[in-house]
Every structure is written in C-alpha cells, then in structure tokens.
Amino acid sequence: MDQWSGYLGLILQGAWVTIELTILGSALALVMAFLAGLGRLSKLAPLRWLATAYIEFFRGTSIFVQLFWAYFVLPLLGVPLSPLQAGVLALGLNVGAYAAEVVRGAVLSVGKEQYEACVALNLNRWQCMRHIILPQAFIVMLPTFGNNAIELLKATAVVSLISLADMTFQAQVVRSQTGNTLIPFATILLLYFAMASALSWGVRRLERKLARGLDGVRA
Amino acid sequence: MVLAGEIGVVQPIIKVDRISKNFGAFQCLNELSFEVAPGEKIALIGPSGSGKTTILRILMTLETINSGHIEVDGDQLYHVERNGQLVAADEAHLHRMRQKIGMVFQLFNLFPHKSVLDNVTLAPILTKKMKRADAERRGMELLDMVGMADKAKAMPAQLSGGQKQRVAIARALALSPKIMLFDEVTSALDPELVEEVLNVMRKLAAETDMTMLLVTHEMSFANDFADRILFFDGGRIVEEGKPGEIFRHPKQERTQAFLKKIIAAGQRI
Ligand SMILES: Nc1ncnc2c1ncn2[C@@H]1O[C@H](COP(=O)(O)OP(=O)(O)OP(=O)(O)O)[C@@H](O)[C@H]1O
Ligand SMILES: [Mg+2]
C-alpha cells in the first residue's frame, strides 16, 4: 500500500505540471487569440496579413512538430527554452490560433447597430471596441473558449515527448516501474476528466455571471 | 423659434448642397438640397424608400456621400479646406463635427450590457472627459426629464420599447448636441407606447432651442411638432412648407397622393 501512495504522489506531481501547462498555455493562447483575432479585423493590411499568416500556419501544422521546434530547433537559433517554456509556447501558440478565429467570429457577431450607436455617440474606434463590442463579444466567445481550454488540457500530454514530467509522463514511469498498466492509466484518466470538468464548470459559471441582466431576467 | 421665411436672415445651421447618394446602381438621393435654421424643428415625410433615413444617416456620418457638400454650424461636414481646396475630411475632423450632432434610432440601439444610467453616462465620460459623479448627476436629470429616473439601475432588456426609446433620447441628449436627428423613433413601438415617447419629444421641442430633424409617419405629430415639413419622394424634396400649407393645401400632385393614401390608411392629420 505504502508503495502505491508513493506512486500516486508521483502522478500528482505530474498533475501539477499538467495544471501549470494548462493555465500558462491558456493565458498565452488568450493573448494570442485577441492579438490575432483583432489583427485580422484591423484596417491596416500588414496587421491583417501577419495575423492570417500566424493563424493559418499554426492551424496547418501539427502540435508535435511545433513542440519539437520550440524545444529542439529554437536552441539552435540561440533561444534555449526549458521544457516547460517550450511546452507553454507550443500549446499557447497552437490553441491561440484556433481561438483567434473565435474572437474574430464573436466580434463580427455583434450587430452593426451597436457600431452605429458608437458613431452617433462619438466614441472612437478603440473606445467602441473596448467598452461596447468586446464585452458583448466576450460572452459569445466564452463557451468556445471553454472548449479550447479543454482541448489545450488534453494536448498537454504531448510534452511527455520532450521529457517534461507531466501527468501522462509520470503514469508511464509508474507503469514501467510497477508493471501495472491499468491502475496508473485509470488514475490519470479520472484526473484528466476531473480537470476538464472543473474547467467547464468554471467557464459556465463565468458565462452565467457575465450574461446576467442581458436577457431581462434579473438574477 | 425660427420659421422658414426667416432663413435669409439667420445663418443656417445645416446647409445641404446638391447631395447625391448611390447604393450600387440605385440612386437614393438625387442632388438633394435644403437648409435648416438654428432651433428649427423639421419633419421629413414621404413614401417608403424616398431617402429620409439616408439623409439623416448622412448627417450622422453613418453613410458616405457620392457628391455634394454639407455645412454644419459653419463648417464643412465631409470636407476640409487644404491649400484653398476642399478635400475629403479625415476621421479627426468627423470626430469634431459629430460633437454637434446626436441621433436617436428606430430600434433604440441601447447597449444591452450596460445599465440605463451607464448607457447615458458612458459617452460623456469617454468623449468629454466628464467626471463620473458629474456625468451621473446630469444623467439622472436627463432620465428624470424623460420619466425614467426610477429605472436608472435597470438593464435595457428589462424595459418596454417605449422606455428603451426614452432612455435612448436621454443618452443622445447627454452629449448636448446642437442638432438632434430622430429616425421614426416610434415606429417600432406597440401603439399604446407611442404617446409616452411623443410626449418627451413635445417637451424637448418646447423646452430646448436644439435644432431637430425628425423622420416620421405620424402626420398629426409632424403637424404639431414641426415648424416646417419637407416632403420627400424619389430622393428629392418635392414640396416643403409650414405644416398648415403641406397638410391642408398641398400643391404638388405627389404630395396630395401621399396624404390621400395616409388618410385612407386611417390616420388623422
Ligand atoms: N445600405 C443600403 N444598401 C442598398 N440600398 C439601400 C441601403 N440603404 C438604403 N437603401 C435604399 O435606399 C432607398 C432609400 O432608403 P431610406 O432608408 O433612406 O428610405 P426611407 O425614406 O427612410 O424609407 P422608410 O420610410 O421605409 O424608412 C431605399 O430604396 C433603400 O432600399
Ligand atoms: Mg427610414
């Protein structure tokens, strides 16, 4: 029994790395999503091209290859990254490219009458975006952002390939040390599921909070 | 209040000079010209598709023009002078010009994620750098004037159409524009809610010296409210005059036909 609690500790250490990757990766993805999503809607053509190139490139290549680039190729170009940094970078840029399209779609979903009200009230483009369009668009983005974050959580397992000791990596360790396959993999299955459930619960709560009052029902 | 006949004496606050506007191959406004004196209350009437909304949207800089000039309060709206030549105005110029003009929309266009009071105070705080406390005091005064002070904390979705429109009027007034544009502000409302909005408009007309242009299909309201009526058809002004002249002695055939249709549809004028 003692031995098993040691192995569980190992997996929990891995779980913490997975959580770290998910939080940091999501934060980077969020920043990239807004930069690229709004970039694609910019009036300035170079910004639009840059944003489109980023989105197409990161959606069009595999997360494995992106991770290998971040970890193995960037050092050759003079940018050495720790496994955690490389993992966050690859995951954040990859998921950010998908989420950028969510930002763009949500911003476009806000009716043109809201922009017209901005003009009639003499708000400038940025004030209109910041105070009127984005707050409404954000509520539209949230559910898909939740899915994106869960995708990112699931994708964190790829970092075991650059020997970052995340939950999947530790499960492999336990398996090879104990020869038991079922217990470690059943444990991480449950843990991934618990994390994903916590994520979607949090996003749903935020959604409800932000949408309060919008439908005429006073919460 | 300044009447049509006196325009020669007073400098007009709006001077629309041979404005044309095309949507693709369709010519919506056709060399449209008219002038408005400061403080004048103007009603734009005419059949559907005659260009009434379009000219208001052009004055609010929500549409571009294909040709012509507009002067607002002594300055060109869409042009600036550079080396003695009139060239297209940039965004900064439009921003300055918009301070003089406010608009109320048919479908209110309130910000659904902001409370009633925040809808009213947002623009003064952002564009006039007004302190929040001052903006809120003024906002409450305006909401009181439109009879909505008790709903200051409500969200737009909790209001009836008439209430929303009164909030939208207060929101536009909060920037103290010299000119207010109203585009069929009651036509999206249930009949029993129309009067509460019209009452606010009557009060505004009586108590302020703002210049007001309103598009309406409510002829009896146009009759009470306006100093002058512009009758639009096919992107031009076919006839203009004091309400008494237009409604009781229309000269143009098209005006007569339009009014006949309106009466046949059951409206009293
Ligand atoms: N964005 C647009 N694209 C194409 N055509 C347009 C556009 N906006 C207006 N039009 C056309 O221009 C004409 C004038 O429209 P406008 O809305 O100014 O009419 P209106 O006098 O306000 O009519 P109504 O009484 O029905 O509101 C209409 O035929 C309309 O279809
Ligand atoms: Mg119209």
Side-chain angles (χ1 to χ4, degrees):
Chain A
M1 211 60 235
D2 242 17
Q3 175 205 7
W4 277 113
S5 77
Y7 287 130
L8 182 65
L10 214 56
I11 286 179
L12 288 178
Q13 270 171 31
W16 176 242
V17 173
T18 296
I19 289 170
E20 246 181 335
L21 275 168
T22 304
I23 291 173
L24 295 175
S26 293
L28 178 61
L30 198 64
V31 172
M32 291 312 295
F34 275 94
L35 285 179
L38 295 179
R40 278 204 69 171
L41 296 169
S42 168
K43 273 189 171 169
L44 303 173
L47 275 183
R48 281 202 308 273
W49 296 331
L50 203 66
T52 307
Y54 159 70
I55 292 168
E56 293 304 323
F57 182 78
F58 278 88
R59 292 199 312 177
T61 55
S62 141
I63 176 86
F64 291 97
V65 183
Q66 290 160 15
L67 182 69
F68 291 158
W69 265 78
Y71 191 59
F72 296 115
V73 183
L74 284 186
L76 304 179
L77 306 174
V79 191
L81 295 178
S82 72
L84 184 70
Q85 287 168 336
V88 168
L89 188 69
L91 287 164
L93 291 180
N94 183 279
V95 175
Y98 287 91
E101 290 295 85
V102 179
V103 171
R104 191 175 84 101
V107 166
L108 290 176
S109 78
V110 177
K112 87 171 175 18
E113 78 285 349
Q114 293 287 310
Y115 291 90
E116 295 189 341
C118 287
V119 172
L121 292 170
N122 210 7
L123 306 188
N124 63 34
R125 258 175 83 84
W126 165 246
Q127 289 168 335
C128 182
M129 209 21 114
R130 155 87 181 72
H131 294 278
I132 306 305
I133 306 303
L134 284 181
Q136 294 179 61
F138 192 63
I139 295 169
V140 179
M141 295 172 208
L142 259 181
T144 321
F145 273 178
N147 293 341
N148 290 150
I150 290 172
E151 286 303 321
L152 191 145
L153 164 67
K154 293 190 287 188
T156 55
V158 300
V159 299
S160 57
L161 294 173
I162 57 169
S163 63
L164 184 57
D166 77 322
M167 201 154 71
T168 301
F169 183 90
Q170 299 291 39
Q172 301 266 29
V173 170
V174 173
R175 172 172 168 261
S176 65
Q177 287 184 7
T178 59
N180 186 319
T181 302
L182 182 64
I183 292 178
F185 285 166
T187 310
I188 66 165
L189 198 68
L190 284 174
L191 283 173
Y192 274 118
F193 183 68
M195 287 178 197
S197 304
L199 251 176
S200 53
W201 178 80
V203 170
R204 265 205 309 278
R205 246 182 82 106
L206 188 59
E207 227 180 288
R208 265 207 302 278
K209 190 174 150 193
L210 291 180
R212 194 168 298 159
L214 283 180
D215 50 4
V217 185
R218 195 88 170 143
Chain B
M1 222 170 276
V2 187
L3 296 180
E6 296 169 42
I7 274 194
V9 191
V10 189
Q11 270 300 315
I13 191 166
I14 301 175
K15 224 161 138 178
V16 173
D17 181 19
R18 282 167 294 154
I19 289 293
S20 292
K21 170 70 184 172
N22 304 329
F23 290 110
F26 173 70
Q27 183 161 35
C28 176
L29 297 179
N30 183 3
E31 303 241 314
L32 175 70
S33 298
F34 65 92
E35 295 185 353
V36 180
E40 221 183 348
K41 318 290 183 241
I42 303 262
L44 287 68
I45 64 169
S48 184
S50 56
K52 308 176 301 290
T53 295
T54 304
I55 185 61
L56 289 199
R57 288 172 56 80
I58 287 175
L59 287 168
M60 193 65 257
T61 71
L62 290 169
E63 300 281 357
T64 54
I65 54 176
N66 293 98
S67 65
H69 293 89
I70 298 177
E71 203 180 287
V72 171
D73 201 21
D75 293 308
Q76 285 292 317
L77 179 60
Y78 282 104
H79 299 85
V80 285
E81 212 176 293
R82 202 159 290 148
N83 307 326
Q85 294 231 323
L86 283 184
V87 298
D90 55 8
E91 182 60 31
H93 177 79
L94 293 179
H95 187 73
R96 269 194 304 282
M97 295 303 290
R98 282 184 205 120
Q99 294 174 3
K100 304 170 194 273
I101 310 171
M103 180 161 180
V104 181
F105 299 88
Q106 192 171 2
L107 294 174
F108 337 123
N109 297 16
L110 291 179
F111 303 132
H113 60 301
K114 301 248 174 231
S115 72
V116 164
L117 184 58
D118 287 343
N119 261 276
V120 177
T121 58
L122 182 78
I125 291 172
L126 290 177
T127 68
K128 299 201 146 177
K129 307 284 168 256
M130 211 186 257
K131 286 208 194 74
R132 176 170 289 277
D134 296 339
E136 288 188 347
R137 195 171 327 112
R138 167 112 177 97
M140 286 308 295
E141 280 169 23
L142 289 168
L143 287 175
D144 192 46
M145 194 204 64
V146 300
M148 289 297 294
D150 56 328
K151 296 278 187 191
K153 293 217 165 69
M155 298 301 278
Q158 297 169 272
L159 307 180
S160 72
Q163 293 175 322
K164 283 182 195 165
Q165 197 56 294
R166 287 186 279 148
V167 172
I169 292 172
R171 181 176 74 169
L173 290 173
L175 291 165
S176 319
K178 289 187 176 177
I179 301 165
M180 279 272 275
L181 312 171
F182 299 88
D183 186 13
E184 295 198 36
V185 292
T186 58
S187 64
L189 303 179
D190 292 337
E192 72 272 19
L193 302 177
V194 168
E195 208 49 34
E196 65 186 53
V197 174
L198 293 186
N199 281 335
V200 167
M201 307 272 295
R202 285 191 189 99
K203 200 154 129 192
L204 266 183
E207 291 175 8
T208 71
D209 54 4
M210 242 181 330
T211 307
M212 294 165 73
L213 274 70
L214 116 146
V215 172
T216 185
H217 285 290
E218 308 261 342
M219 295 306 144
S220 68
F221 179 68
N223 189 24
D224 304 343
F225 170 89
D227 301 322
R228 190 153 55 107
I229 307 276
L230 306 181
F231 173 71
F232 276 66
D233 198 4
R236 322 191 72 145
I237 295 172
V238 171
E239 184 167 357
E240 66 171 290
K242 293 188 180 146
E245 297 166 15
I246 297 283
F247 289 127
R248 265 158 285 287
H249 311 289
K251 293 190 192 66
Q252 300 293 329
E253 238 172 79
R254 281 196 270 174
T255 320
Q256 293 162 0
F258 173 74
L259 291 173
K260 209 184 237 165
K261 238 194 215 157
I262 293 267
I263 291 167
Q267 265 200 52
R268 282 188 314 116
I269 295 177

